[in-house]
Amino acid sequence: EVVWGRNLPDYQMQYVSDSVVKLYGFPMADWYENPNLWKDMIHPDDIQQVEKDNEPLFSVGVTELEYRIITLDKEIKWISSSTRIIKSTDGTPFFMTGIAQDITAQKTAQEQLKQLNDNLEEKSNKLENSNLKLRQNISEMVTLRTKSEAVAQELRHFLETANAPIFGIDANGKVNEWNQTSEKITGFKKEEVFGKNLVKTYITEDYQKAVKLVLDNALKGEETANYEFPLFTKEGSRVMVLLNSSTRRNSDGEIVGVLGVGQDITIINEYKENLEKKVKHRTIELEESLEREKELGKLKSSFVSTASHQFRTPLAAIQANSELLSMLARDVEQQNQEKCIKITNRITVEIARMTELMDDVLLLGKSTSGSIDVKPQEINLVDFCQTLAKRFNDIQTDGRIINVATEGEPYNVYLDFKLLSQALSNLLSNAFKFSLGKSNPTLTVSFKPKGFSLIVEDYGIGIPKAEIANLFHPFFRANNATEIKGTGLGLSIAKEYIELNKGILTGKSTEGIGTKFEISFKKYVLREKYGN
């Protein structure tokens, strides 16, 4: 805290404590030469409010203010100040005295505490409102020799009636100050504590060494702000106090003790401890849940792989017998031979569908269980897309091809070649499959400074608006596509493989007009992820 006093009505400064220089940064001489120095330091945004709040000073006799200042070093600090007018017996003001405290740390702490939990806001506000006037470090105030008995009495009354716990110790660590609030929160009267060793008698054993170090440092001139420690109460319970310690000096500047200004934070501390316990418990639950999920993923992957293998054996046997039946049908009558061929062809088609379904299920199971290793490599994306498009163009039977276009300035990218190939192949296959008899599908490679994208667009049957939300769900088939061959897993697999490559797959569609899928990648994310 800082303490000052000036005569009235000329406002000439009579005394300024060393802590004024420490808090504001201006030399002692400046304060005696410029009575309005404190106004010049007020933050421009707070000047109007300070002037308004200070208007009743001479009529009421006291004002309590909080505002920001800009120090000599251009540092912005929050100040809590109290100014009092001392009047003579005839009511004429003759002296003005004040104290101020740096509450920057408290302001910061209040904001952080507010963010911990909204449920604590009401209690915190009540606690803050009741203590705004009390967060003042007044260590030197009680050690200064005042020029008049009236000033001394005012200072003593202010110390005793403050509703923040204020206590002092001498150079030997024995209590010599204990105000009314200290009595209230601990239950110990002043006469019970005076002359007793503060640390040994009233500090819990687990904090005695740390608190003694804080007080010893203050006796060396090293003051401490916002230190938490517990006090014993008369009933044996503990009260958590947030302490600001200040060195006390006599008129000759010699250190004679320590003055502590505290704040009861018992409720806040209990809430913080309970919150930490809840967070720790929740973390353990999440870790256990994650382990269970990993085990289920491994089990699912194992099941899918085993089931796929087991299904392939009878399918192979059915395929072999179907082919044998076709051979035997050559020796039967023409009419029965045609029937046999029709049946065996149907069996072959269904076997192909079943094999495709098992392949897709196996791929989807591997991706969702996390058993696929992503191995990125440098890719010439334009060459990659043109090669893939040619492979599709060569197998089309209706004369259509994929039209490949490039936008922007091309550059090489870093992706898993196999995963990208599988995902893009699924999209290109769908583009041909769902646009029979329509225009050529298109594949656009778009390069931008911060990312790139692959856009596959067809002009086919499209997807009903009501079913767009299910587009990437496994086994989803739109109502207008039930007659078109497919497993309903292609888009699910494509989405999983794109996300393994740190990309995003989105789709838009209009029924009867066509569908567009876009694969987007952020260039800087890939380079950061893969170290290139």
Side-chain angles (χ1 to χ4, degrees):
E1 86 291 349
V2 297
V3 184
W4 55 267
R6 59 175 70 191
N7 287 333
L8 295 174
D10 58 7
Y11 292 96
Q12 183 60 44
M13 192 70 73
Q14 293 299 307
Y15 65 88
V16 179
S17 69
D18 292 338
S19 52
V20 171
V21 176
K22 181 178 178 182
L23 175 60
Y24 293 89
F26 285 87
M28 184 73 73
D30 289 4
W31 291 95
Y32 287 99
E33 293 175 3
N34 183 4
N36 292 319
L37 181 58
W38 74 277
K39 290 184 179 179
D40 298 338
M41 299 176 66
I42 299 175
H43 194 286
D45 294 342
D46 296 348
I47 291 177
Q48 186 175 359
Q49 188 63 44
V50 170
E51 291 178 347
K52 179 180 179 182
D53 294 344
N54 212 35
E55 287 179 356
L57 175 60
F58 283 90
S59 59
V60 179
V62 60
T63 57
E64 304 284 349
L65 305 175
E66 281 192 6
Y67 54 91
R68 292 169 291 176
I69 65 168
I70 302 177
T71 69
L72 182 61
D73 296 330
K74 305 303 181 183
E75 182 181 0
I76 297 177
K77 295 181 179 180
W78 273 96
I79 298 298
S80 176
S81 70
S82 175
T83 305
R84 291 179 179 270
I85 299 297
I86 309 302
K87 299 180 180 180
S88 60
T89 55
D90 62 358
T92 301
F94 74 92
F95 197 77
M96 178 187 295
T97 182
I99 60 175
Q101 179 184 5
D102 181 357
I103 61 170
T104 305
Q106 290 93 321
K107 285 287 185 179
T108 302
Q110 291 168 18
E111 185 62 27
Q112 293 174 345
L113 182 61
K114 181 180 179 182
Q115 295 175 359
L116 287 177
N117 195 294
D118 290 340
N119 293 335
L120 190 62
E121 183 177 356
E122 182 177 354
K123 294 181 180 180
S124 296
N125 287 338
K126 290 181 179 178
L127 183 62
E128 182 63 24
N129 291 334
S130 66
N131 288 289
L132 279 175
K133 298 180 181 179
L134 308 174
R135 295 176 187 156
Q136 305 171 14
N137 189 346
I138 56 174
S139 62
E140 293 184 356
M141 182 178 68
V142 296
T143 62
L144 291 173
R145 294 178 179 177
T146 59
K147 291 187 175 182
S148 67
E149 184 64 26
V151 174
Q153 289 178 352
E154 286 287 342
L155 294 177
R156 171 54 57 186
H157 177 72
F158 188 74
L159 174 68
E160 287 295 328
T161 59
N163 63 341
I166 300 174
F167 59 86
I169 61 170
D170 59 22
N172 296 316
K174 295 183 179 180
V175 180
N176 57 13
E177 291 286 353
W178 196 261
N179 73 346
Q180 295 175 7
T181 303
S182 297
E183 292 182 349
K184 181 179 179 180
I185 68 172
T186 66
F188 290 108
K189 297 295 183 181
K190 182 182 300 185
E191 54 270 18
E192 294 180 273
V193 300
F194 266 31
K196 300 285 184 65
N197 186 287
L198 176 69
V199 174
K200 293 181 179 179
T201 310
Y202 303 106
I203 305 298
T204 58
E205 184 176 356
D206 52 336
Y207 275 82
Q208 286 183 3
K209 185 176 180 179
V211 174
K212 186 178 186 304
L213 179 61
V214 169
L215 298 179
D216 287 347
N217 287 338
L219 289 171
K220 298 175 184 178
E222 301 174 10
E223 299 180 347
T224 300
N226 300 326
Y227 177 76
E228 295 184 19
F229 72 95
L231 277 174
F232 274 126
T233 68
K234 196 169 185 178
E235 296 178 350
S237 58
R238 298 196 336 172
V239 176
M240 289 301 297
V241 175
L242 185 67
L243 171 68
N244 290 278
S245 67
S246 300
T247 302
R248 298 181 70 175
R249 301 176 185 268
N250 59 21
S251 57
D252 298 325
E254 298 172 340
I255 297 176
V256 295
V258 176
L259 189 71
V261 180
Q263 177 183 347
D264 184 357
I265 59 169
T266 305
I267 295 177
I268 297 174
N269 193 68
E270 290 176 353
Y271 175 81
K272 183 171 66 175
E273 290 179 353
N274 290 335
L275 184 61
E276 289 173 351
K277 291 179 181 178
K278 290 180 180 179
V279 171
K280 183 177 180 180
H281 179 69
R282 182 56 178 160
T283 300
I284 293 174
E285 289 183 342
L286 290 175
E287 289 176 349
E288 292 176 348
S289 177
L290 181 60
E291 286 300 319
R292 289 195 297 268
E293 186 175 342
K294 288 181 179 179
E295 290 297 325
L296 287 174
K298 291 179 181 178
L299 182 61
K300 182 177 69 173
S301 179
S302 176
F303 170 77
V304 170
S305 179
T306 302
S308 176
H309 176 74
Q310 294 298 326
F311 276 126
R312 290 180 192 278
T313 301
L315 283 176
I318 295 172
Q319 179 66 40
N321 281 278
S322 176
E323 293 173 356
L324 179 59
L325 182 60
S326 296
M327 294 173 60
L328 295 175
R330 298 171 186 171
D331 298 330
V332 300
E333 297 177 357
Q334 180 67 29
Q335 183 178 0
N336 291 328
Q337 186 181 63
E338 292 177 357
K339 291 181 179 179
C340 289
I341 292 174
K342 185 177 181 180
I343 293 172
T344 55
N345 287 342
R346 190 183 304 161
I347 293 173
T348 300
V349 170
E350 294 304 320
I351 289 174
R353 287 184 59 186
M354 189 64 181
T355 301
E356 181 185 3
L357 176 60
M358 287 190 302
D359 289 340
D360 285 350
V361 169
L362 185 59
L363 288 174
L364 186 63
K366 286 183 178 180
S367 63
T368 57
S369 66
S371 59
I372 294 180
D373 292 330
V374 181
K375 298 179 180 179
Q377 57 183 295
E378 187 173 358
I379 298 175
N380 183 316
L381 196 58
V382 175
D383 289 348
F384 167 82
C385 291
Q386 289 176 343
T387 300
L388 189 61
K390 185 178 184 304
R391 194 175 76 193
F392 273 89
N393 293 342
D394 290 343
I395 63 174
Q396 299 309 309
T397 59
D398 59 358
R400 291 186 301 153
I401 61 171
I402 287 284
N403 292 329
V404 181
T406 302
E407 296 178 349
E409 187 67 27
Y411 49 77
N412 287 359
V413 300
Y414 296 86
L415 296 169
D416 186 299
F417 178 92
K418 292 182 179 179
L419 295 180
L420 180 62
S421 179
Q422 179 68 51
L424 190 56
S425 293
N426 286 359
L427 298 180
L428 293 176
S429 176
N430 282 351
F432 278 114
K433 185 190 304 182
F434 294 106
S435 63
L436 289 175
K438 303 293 183 179
S439 302
N440 291 337
T442 61
L443 170 58
T444 303
V445 189
S446 177
F447 293 94
K448 295 180 180 179
K450 292 186 178 181
F452 57 95
S453 60
L454 302 172
I455 303 169
V456 177
E457 187 170 8
D458 69 61
Y459 309 95
I461 64 174
I463 302 169
K465 183 176 180 180
E467 299 181 1
I468 291 292
N470 301 319
L471 196 58
F472 298 107
H473 290 183
F475 300 105
F476 167 72
R477 301 295 305 276
N479 288 332
N480 61 344
T482 55
E483 299 300 322
I484 300 176
K485 293 182 180 180
T487 63
L489 291 174
L491 290 179
S492 299
I493 294 171
K495 186 174 186 296
E496 291 289 342
Y497 281 14
I498 292 302
E499 291 177 352
L500 286 172
N501 256 320
K502 305 303 178 185
I504 299 173
L505 175 60
T506 58
K508 297 180 180 179
S509 185
T510 302
E511 188 173 9
I513 295 179
T515 303
K516 180 168 71 173
F517 290 97
E518 181 172 0
I519 307 171
S520 303
F521 297 94
K522 292 183 178 180
K523 180 179 179 183
Y524 70 90
V525 170
L526 293 170
R527 288 183 172 176
E528 178 182 312
K529 174 69 178 176
Y530 302 132
N532 291 289

